[in-house]
Amino acid sequence: MKCSTYMKPLGVLSLALMLSACGSDEDETTEEEGSKQEEVSEESSETEEDSTEETENEAEPLISEADVHNDDSLTALANKSNFLSEDYVPEDLVPVEVPTVLESPEVNQLRQDASSALTEMFNAASEDNITLYARSGYRSYNTQVSLYNNYKDAHGEAEADRFSARPGASEHQTGLAMDVTSESVGLELSEAFGETEEGIWVRENAHRFGFIIRYPEGMEDVTGYMYEPWHLRYLGEELAADVYESGLTYEEYIIESGIDINEG
Ligand SMILES: [Zn+2]
């Protein structure tokens, strides 16, 4: 379930929506970062001490296939090919503690770790005289059903698919995605945000707090979504920084890590 548009051509349509693309899930189990990987080589099970240390120089993957395909993992992948379970609801949703735009209590929530990170990021932005607002965070599966159906009734299915995620495909259902905005774009979700000083600050700094710009410009073919400079996905600081430095989309990063991108 993506949240926003399927195709790039319609970029404009998506702007109007408060729900942009995004969908996915994560796992808390993920914190072990790749620890599941067996590092034991066949060679020496007897001399445990020397052989296991060899992995020291090799970068250990920060993600595992099990976690990428686990709705409750912080590294969960949600996109048009990887749907979240209909009944997945994060257990640790909390109200965000930053300025918000919408009245709905639901969308002003994130999972605990993501919420704490968001607060830190907004505070750091403030210190740089950058004022950010949180517009749309968690969305339940049923909320996405309502949204999608409303768009479908009004515009037809084909059109709706261009700017609204189908239920289960929205990364917002993970409770790890937040759409941020600024007064300079009227607190809306607009591609223009990417060129504002707030948007530029977010692009250059979000990874320091564990977030990535999930749908970078020009990567629609890979992510399935148009450019969304406002849509942040929490992955934790270490992984977010690694993805940022790689210059890859999350999908590409997963593949680079040798993980099967599609659910089994
Ligand atoms: Zn979004």
Side-chain angles (χ1 to χ4, degrees), residues 20-22 172 179 228 230-231:
S20 36
C22 346
H172 286 276
D179 298 329
E228 293 195 0
W230 61 82
H231 179 98

